[in-house]
Amino acid sequence: MELLQLQYFKTIAECQHITKAANKLMISQPSLSNTLSRIESELGVQLFDRQGRNIVLNNYGKIVLEHTNNILRELDNIRTEIDALEQRQNNVITIASTDSMYLREWLPAFIKENPDLAIRHSVSTPEKIEAALLDGTIDFGISSVAFGNNAFAHHQLWKDEYMVATPLPNDFPDGVIRDFSDFKQESFVALPAMDYHSRYIDILSSAASFRPNIIFEGERELLERVMIPLHASIIILRSSIQNDKDEALYAGYCSLTRLSNPEAHISITLSWDARRTRTASAQRLLDYVQNTQLKAWHLSTPDEVWCRKSNGLKEESVNQE
């Protein structure tokens, strides 16, 4: 059996229709039918059950498809290893994440240490990231949602949790762990709702069975600038408070509330298809994250965000109450 025949069979199995598969392969329908007949004759069994104009993969066909995928994947691995050896693809790393903030702090440091590498990053849904890992479109996926595919290997970048920052004055003193439903009457600022990204506030409010009062939507750095004058709460990650200076800054303007909801506790994880051979460049990134204590997203220029040289934003905010 030839590799071309296996590729044709895989396309037929995906389309489950001879004519559609022939159009996709840009060959004639009779030629494709003859190829399938030769494969079935060689194996001594039919691989599809006919249902009208459609054909459905049967149990024999499923066995052949599983091995076909393994063979074609190994062929990809051969090509990848040769390309890496010849350095034709050795400088490119492709990454997709459900949120760009998961790379915001540590990726620039990696790039600085590896200026010869080219990084291609995109933001996508967990479902699309999983599909891209399976077909080899990307090297790594980063998400707070666990991928259930057993073929994937994982490395936990860090554990995190969602917290609520509420401008002062308010009724939420620091140090009290609350259920997110306690914020049902509060106003929030949040990222815009997007198809490729699940907002923290939507995850938490859905679990707490209420619709949040979002009074402003915008990009992350803009939210930091409007939450105080709007006196609106914001969902943040605990990892954004990285030292005593950050905590002292927050304490001057907001109270921070940890949440008891299970949905508030997440794990940021790097995933890859363990069956695929990694390029040398991809291995360099994996070695880096496995041997470096990564920094999570950090509040951007907080002194500029919440402070003014004159009277100070806190004073103005309190006076407006």
Side-chain angles (χ1 to χ4, degrees):
M1 195 177 300
E2 299 174 355
L3 285 174
L4 185 61
Q5 290 177 316
L6 292 178
Q7 291 169 338
Y8 283 4
F9 166 75
K10 178 178 171 64
T11 302
I12 297 172
E14 290 172 346
C15 296
Q16 300 199 64
H17 195 285
I18 292 290
T19 302
K20 291 179 180 178
N23 291 337
K24 186 174 182 178
L25 292 167
M26 293 185 290
I27 62 174
S28 68
Q29 183 268 331
S31 175
L32 187 59
S33 295
N34 289 335
T35 298
L36 178 58
S37 296
R38 286 196 296 271
I39 295 172
E40 292 180 327
S41 177
E42 183 176 342
L43 294 174
V45 293
Q46 286 193 341
L47 304 179
F48 296 88
D49 295 326
R50 274 65 180 177
Q51 295 184 359
R53 294 184 177 181
N54 294 324
I55 54 175
V56 178
L57 203 65
N58 60 29
N59 289 334
Y60 296 116
K62 291 176 181 178
I63 293 173
V64 176
L65 180 61
E66 180 180 355
H67 287 285
T68 296
N69 286 333
N70 289 337
I71 292 169
L72 295 178
R73 188 182 300 111
E74 285 302 314
L75 180 61
D76 283 343
N77 286 341
I78 292 171
R79 290 169 177 159
T80 299
E81 289 189 33
I82 291 175
D83 286 340
L85 185 62
E86 295 180 351
Q87 296 185 347
R88 291 199 295 264
Q89 295 179 351
N90 201 42
N91 69 330
V92 178
I93 304 173
T94 51
I95 309 170
S97 64
T98 52
D99 194 321
S100 62
M101 70 178 293
Y102 297 151
L103 300 86
R104 176 172 166 173
E105 290 294 324
W106 64 266
L107 185 60
F110 172 77
I111 293 172
K112 187 175 181 180
E113 290 186 16
N114 299 272
D116 58 311
L117 299 183
I119 311 293
R120 297 173 183 167
H121 172 259
S122 60
V123 177
S124 189
T125 63
E127 294 77 17
K128 290 182 179 179
I129 292 175
E130 182 171 355
L133 286 171
L134 287 171
D135 65 22
T137 307
I138 61 174
D139 295 310
F140 299 105
I142 300 177
S143 176
S144 61
V145 179
F147 298 117
N149 196 304
N150 292 330
F152 291 173
H154 311 279
H155 174 72
Q156 180 181 283
L157 301 181
W158 66 84
K159 287 184 178 181
D160 223 322
E161 63 179 287
Y162 300 131
M163 302 175 67
V164 182
T166 306
L168 299 172
N170 61 63
D171 297 324
F172 302 102
D174 287 334
V176 178
I177 299 177
R178 296 179 179 272
D179 189 277
F180 190 62
S181 60
D182 292 346
F183 293 86
K184 187 180 300 185
Q185 305 302 322
E186 294 300 305
S187 298
F188 283 90
V189 296
L191 295 169
M194 298 179 182
D195 293 337
Y196 62 80
H197 183 269
S198 296
R199 300 185 298 181
Y200 318 139
I201 192 167
D202 294 330
I203 295 171
L204 292 168
S205 59
S206 176
S209 301
F210 75 91
R211 184 174 181 178
N213 177 28
I214 300 175
I215 62 174
F216 182 88
E217 293 183 342
E219 293 307 310
R220 186 172 283 111
E221 292 186 4
L222 183 57
L223 298 180
E224 297 168 2
R225 286 165 167 78
V226 302
M227 61 173 291
I228 298 294
L230 288 176
H231 202 269
S233 296
I234 187 173
I235 307 297
I236 65 168
L237 286 173
R238 193 179 186 191
S239 59
S240 64
I241 307 169
Q242 297 183 0
N243 51 48
D244 292 341
K245 181 180 177 182
D246 293 342
E247 194 162 341
L249 177 68
Y250 268 108
Y253 297 91
C254 299
S255 62
L256 296 173
T257 306
R258 297 181 64 183
L259 300 171
S260 59
N261 309 70
E263 297 79 14
H265 300 267
I266 61 174
S267 175
I268 311 303
T269 302
L270 180 83
S271 302
W272 62 96
D273 189 339
R275 300 168 302 179
R276 293 187 175 275
T277 301
R278 288 182 295 281
T279 63
S281 55
Q283 186 61 49
R284 282 164 69 180
L285 184 138
L286 183 57
D287 291 342
Y288 179 85
V289 300
Q290 288 179 331
N291 296 288
T292 306
Q293 187 168 357
L294 303 182
K295 290 184 178 181
W297 171 71
H298 188 273
L299 189 70
S300 62
T301 56
D303 293 327
E304 296 178 14
V305 173
W306 288 346
C307 304
R308 292 180 182 169
K309 290 182 179 179
S310 55
N311 295 328
L313 187 54
K314 180 185 175 184
E315 272 186 33
E316 293 182 16
S317 178
V318 171
N319 290 338
Q320 290 173 1
E321 292 299 314

